[in-house]
Amino acid sequence: EIYMDIEAGMAEAIYLDNPVNALVEGNDVSVKATGASTYAYGIQIADSAVYTFMYEDDYEGELTSAHDVTIKNNKFDITCDFMLYGITAISSGAQLDEDGDMERFAFPLNIVISDNEVFADSARGVMGIAGQLYNMTVINNDLTVIGGSAEGITSGDALGNGTYALGVQYNNRNGGYYVVVKDNKVKTNVTAEFLNSETYRQWVTFENNTASQLIIIDDDTYEDYFNED
């Protein structure tokens, strides 16, 4: 069980940098980020391989981007006042080649996100499950994603800002691999399915996801639904 409660800065419940052959399973995560410029993460799979190669001369060990990672059967309950990221994964598939240079898009990523429960409630920007990669399967997750507007939010995250439940930022691998987002149940008041560019549509599949529209009634929307008379 993981619990975080902050009033400033960033809360990252689970952060994995360049994990390989990793399984994240059976965690119960609660994150509360209160404050005008707070950021909240349930789990983040990060990729620092290329950055490390370019800017850190004293690194040791094998240098490779995240691959063969499964995130399943976890429960995430996250609330935030600013920018919320539920489950996110980034990988450019980079590794050192025989000449000691960094090669991107070098191997299958095999990132699987399945059978998780995600409750993500943000006053402004929100991403339920999002990936910036070229090989991922997102299947059979149950999401409730509530957001407002991400306008004006500046984020240092490579995913940027946004308001959507299921998102794919396909990262420039032209063919040979796939991203499949299917059989997920979504309740949301923001965009249910997001793809960063139609250029990549042929390699990205959204299939059989059920989306129910949430209606949020608060001080800002009350007059839209009720007559005070």
Side-chain angles (χ1 to χ4, degrees), residues 2 103 153 162 212:
I2 301 171
E103 177 186 5
I153 291 178
S212 301

Side-chain angles (χ1 to χ4, degrees), residues 114-177:
S114 69
D115 300 288
N116 300 282
E117 293 183 29
V118 178
F119 178 83
D121 184 357
S122 174
R124 298 196 60 194
V126 64
M127 299 180 189
I129 297 177
Q132 187 180 100
L133 25 67
Y134 56 87
N135 183 204
M136 173 177 72
T137 300
V138 179
I139 186 169
N140 201 37
N141 299 280
D142 193 332
L143 301 89
T144 299
V145 179
I146 301 167
S149 170
E151 183 178 357
I153 291 178
T154 300
S155 173
D157 194 288
L159 289 165
N161 62 51
T163 51
Y164 50 81
L166 297 166
V168 177
Q169 297 184 17
Y170 196 90
N171 63 351
N172 301 314
R173 168 78 193 203
N174 291 323
Y177 295 102

Side-chain angles (χ1 to χ4, degrees), residues 47-51 53-54 59 62-67 91-109 134 171-173 177:
D47 181 357
S48 67
V50 175
Y51 179 91
F53 174 77
M54 294 177 63
Y59 70 84
E62 184 178 356
L63 194 58
T64 182
S65 297
H67 63 88
S91 180
S92 61
Q95 66 180 6
L96 294 175
D97 63 19
E98 294 180 354
D99 298 323
D101 296 321
M102 185 60 73
E103 177 186 5
R104 300 190 191 197
F105 318 120
F107 48 78
L109 301 180
Y134 56 87
N171 63 351
N172 301 314
R173 168 78 193 203
Y177 295 102

